[in-house]
Amino acid sequence: MNPVLTALLHAANKQRDDSLIVTDPAELFRLLDLDPALLAAAQTASGLFSLRVPRSYVARMRKRDPNDPLLRQVLPIADETIPTPGFTSDPVGDCQALVAPGVLHKYQGRVLLMTTGACGIHCRYCFRRDFPYAQSVVGTPQRRVALDYLANQPDVSEVILSGGDPLSLSNRRLAVLLEELAAVPHLRRLRIHSRQPIVMPERIDSALLELLNTSRFKVVMVVHVNHPQEIDKTVRASLARLAAADVCLFNQAVLLRAVNDSVDTLVELSEALFSAGVIPYYLHLLDRVRGTAHFEVSEDRARQLMEELRRSLPGYLVPRLVREQPGKPAKIPIL
């Protein structure tokens, strides 16, 4: 294709995509009719970690309610600017686990690829909000190094695509990456960690489904839902399309103060996930990244919630309560 035409098409696609995303706190306040007195703090906090939220996700929020559980996950607030002891820039040891550009090898038998720093939504509790993506993603120049590393790890049977969000990549770029990974004979499973089916369900298009369905890998997708209000009919449709393409669906949630730290909410979340074809797999204690102390739920409270969940749900609907700690050989179960 003519390079000028390619550049014009890229610019047009970017403009179209940007029109679907809210990045200015003032616009978010206008859309939800929020108290203007909170805007200055939101603008200050978004200077530390930018606001990014799809309009379709905003549409699921209640207007004039700063405590809406979906809004709370994305709204920059003054608490983020307060330093808190014990909250760091790399709470789970990602940087120390980098074995090659964009390659994290923490656990036996599986390797994680940082495919991109781009994400459809900026969750305020994101444990990678400070991750050095510019130097640490599997871009085109570095991908050969990553593939060579995988080829020399015969005990690795699963590759995990993460980021950012791997579904922020185009279908064309994903197809190239999957073809290269498929050439590594000892890889059997492909796991994709993505919030896109939830916050941008239109991303699950026919081309992506064909790509996943025709892959030689057994494909597992771990989505990220924290509150049942996130699952509307468009999300259920996107999940149904993935299931029809023989993708195994699991959910990981984060236990967040004033978002989902009640047994009623967690029960409703597990029921909603299962009715949408998703297994509630993990419930994470907060990763203690700087700027997120206001989200933390104590371990004692988490244990209490799990006891109540076990009384309220069949075992297969009770997620595993875990914490990730740097240098450990697996997620740490909180029993």
Side-chain angles (χ1 to χ4, degrees), residues 31 35 43 49 69 73 104 132 144 203 219 231 243 273 289 293 296:
L31 290 171
D35 183 355
Q43 290 172 325
F49 181 47
Q73 295 180 58
L104 275 70
R144 187 70 261 162
R203 173 65 184 92
V219 180
I231 304 176
L273 286 165
V289 68
E296 190 167 45

Side-chain angles (χ1 to χ4, degrees), residues 25 38-51 74-82 124 129 290-291 294:
L38 303 173
L39 179 57
Q43 290 172 325
T44 299
S46 68
L48 300 175
F49 181 47
S50 62
L51 171 73
V74 300
L75 178 66
I77 63 173
D79 287 350
E80 296 179 35
T81 66
I82 302 172
R124 307 313 297 178
R129 56 188 285 168
R290 67 172 185 89
H294 56 289

Side-chain angles (χ1 to χ4, degrees), residues 209-253:
L209 294 169
E210 182 178 4
L211 176 61
L212 298 178
N213 190 233
T214 57
S215 168
R216 77 161 179 83
F217 294 115
K218 181 61 180 176
V219 180
V220 174
M221 186 172 292
V222 181
V223 297
H224 180 180
V225 189
N226 295 316
H227 194 278
Q229 189 177 315
E230 297 181 69
I231 304 176
D232 65 3
K233 64 180 181 180
T234 63
V235 171
R236 284 191 290 271
S238 79
L239 296 170
R241 290 194 294 271
L242 287 164
D246 201 28
V247 176
C248 296
L249 295 170
F250 297 89
N251 184 63
Q252 58 180 3

Side-chain angles (χ1 to χ4, degrees), residues 86-228:
F87 285 74
T88 68
S89 61
D90 185 18
V92 298
D94 276 348
C95 291
Q96 71 188 49
L98 282 166
V99 294
V103 181
L104 275 70
H105 197 169
K106 291 185 179 182
Y107 305 139
Q108 183 176 347
R110 50 217 188 269
V111 164
L112 184 146
L113 300 184
M114 302 291 289
T115 57
T116 176
C119 208
I121 189 169
H122 285 180
C123 301
R124 307 313 297 178
Y125 53 87
C126 178
F127 68 96
R128 289 192 180 129
R129 56 188 285 168
D130 291 328
F131 188 80
Y133 288 109
Q135 302 85 31
S136 306
V137 296
V138 184
T140 302
Q142 302 97 334
R143 195 154 65 232
R144 187 70 261 162
V145 178
L147 292 166
D148 288 345
Y149 180 83
L150 285 168
N152 289 307
Q153 304 294 320
D155 64 320
V156 171
S157 60
E158 180 175 74
V159 62
I160 303 166
L161 304 187
S162 186
D165 194 312
L167 295 190
S168 297
L169 299 177
S170 68
N171 291 330
R172 180 184 60 81
R173 292 179 64 189
L174 277 173
V176 171
L177 178 58
L178 264 58
E179 182 178 4
E180 292 172 333
L181 291 171
V184 181
H186 51 266
L187 294 178
R188 297 198 301 271
R189 289 185 303 279
L190 174 73
R191 194 197 318 175
I192 300 172
H193 283 204
S194 179
R195 195 135 155 78
Q196 298 273 36
I198 311 305
V199 302
M200 300 181 72
E202 65 274 11
R203 173 65 184 92
I204 311 305
D205 57 24
S206 57
L208 175 64
L209 294 169
E210 182 178 4
L211 176 61
L212 298 178
N213 190 233
T214 57
S215 168
R216 77 161 179 83
F217 294 115
K218 181 61 180 176
V219 180
V220 174
M221 186 172 292
V222 181
V223 297
H224 180 180
V225 189
N226 295 316
H227 194 278

Side-chain angles (χ1 to χ4, degrees), residues 263-264 267 271 305-315 317-318:
V263 68
D264 289 344
V267 166
E271 295 282 10
L305 286 168
M306 292 305 296
E307 279 298 315
E308 295 178 34
L309 274 184
R310 281 190 282 270
R311 287 196 294 267
S312 304
L313 289 169
L317 291 187
V318 179

Side-chain angles (χ1 to χ4, degrees), residues 4-38:
V4 175
L5 180 57
T6 299
L8 289 172
L9 287 172
H10 176 76
N13 287 335
K14 183 177 187 303
Q15 184 177 22
R16 181 194 63 204
D17 292 344
D18 288 349
S19 70
L20 302 175
I21 304 291
V22 177
T23 57
D24 181 359
E27 182 180 11
L28 183 63
F29 272 61
R30 179 182 59 79
L31 290 171
L32 294 175
D33 195 16
L34 297 173
D35 183 355
L38 303 173

